[in-house]
Amino acid sequence: KLTKNSTSIVFEETPKGHSYLIALTHLVKSYCSESPYDAFERKWKAFNAIYREVASSKTTEFERQVFIRKNLIDVPQNYPLIIDEVGKLTTQEIRSKTRWIKFVHNNFSTIKQTKIYKDFILANDDFRLAEINISTISVREDFLKNKGFYDEVVSHLNDKIDKCVVNNSHLVATLCIKYMYFVRNKSVHAEKVDSSFRLTSLNKEEGEIVWLSSLIDLLIIDIINGHENF
């Protein structure tokens, strides 16, 4: 799916050309990885090399990810492959392929992070995300009520569900940036056993990694194909 003209950027003697060369080496190598976990890690490195370049004016990892999210929302037409793919997803597919409760427990682990949790929910309009968040809200219900955010959050979620609001940009950003960053960090920070040590080969975690890899592939290729937009 990479266009021939887009890949010629790697021959430019510029910081941008060098960054895309790095990204493409990791992307190509990911297809040769025997382990799906190694493949995912290499794809994330490719993505990291690209957003570090296109958001070079930003100083932190978080700011660079926010830049990509904003670009996804502002100009979704520049991301045809990944936008088309997530447009086919159902709530049930997303929920079955992810560990959403672990994600919520990890990213919003204390009552001090309740406002961040509220802001995360209110920032997303897609009804599929709303359905997933309403079905898992009980794990942080006490926090939300304690801070007085519960009614506002539930009202937002029910509104998006009732109106069946579709926002593929929000879904892409949440899955490919917010959620994948959680998955990637759990592995890199050695918070789980090495993926080589498995009692079963195709558990949910491995299936999740394979699925996420297929999504981030498309996002990376969209950015490379549209590198002139940055």
Side-chain angles (χ1 to χ4, degrees), residues 9-21 53:
I9 188 175
V10 304
F11 298 108
E12 294 182 7
E13 292 295 332
T14 62
K16 181 178 180 179
H18 185 61
S19 294
Y20 277 81
L21 174 61
E53 165 58 30

Side-chain angles (χ1 to χ4, degrees), residues 120-133:
F120 162 71
I121 290 177
L122 298 185
N124 290 296
D125 294 338
D126 189 85
F127 81 95
R128 291 160 293 185
L129 289 173
E131 288 179 338
I132 292 170
N133 282 319

Side-chain angles (χ1 to χ4, degrees), residues 69 73 100 103 108 113-127 129-134 137 144 147-161 165 167 170-171 174 178:
R69 174 187 166 86
I73 294 168
W100 206 263
F103 164 69
F108 317 105
Q113 295 171 303
T114 305
K115 186 180 183 301
I116 299 173
Y117 179 46
K118 180 201 74 168
D119 292 343
F120 162 71
I121 290 177
L122 298 185
N124 290 296
D125 294 338
D126 189 85
F127 81 95
L129 289 173
E131 288 179 338
I132 292 170
N133 282 319
I134 199 75
I137 200 168
L144 290 168
K147 293 294 185 179
F149 300 146
Y150 184 78
D151 291 343
E152 181 183 6
V153 165
V154 170
S155 176
H156 171 85
L157 294 174
N158 285 333
D159 178 64
K160 304 310 170 187
I161 294 168
V165 176
N167 192 314
H170 284 178
L171 185 54
T174 299
K178 192 78 170 178

Side-chain angles (χ1 to χ4, degrees), residues 59-96:
T59 56
T60 68
E61 191 88 345
F62 176 75
E63 290 174 340
R64 290 165 184 160
Q65 291 176 6
V66 168
F67 175 90
I68 293 295
R69 174 187 166 86
K70 185 176 186 303
N71 197 257
L72 270 162
I73 294 168
D74 290 347
V75 282
Q77 63 271 23
N78 290 345
Y79 301 86
L81 298 176
I82 187 61
I83 291 289
D84 178 68
E85 184 64 22
V86 301
K88 304 171 187 175
L89 295 174
T90 66
T91 303
Q92 292 71 26
E93 286 177 298
I94 300 166
R95 187 75 173 89
S96 67

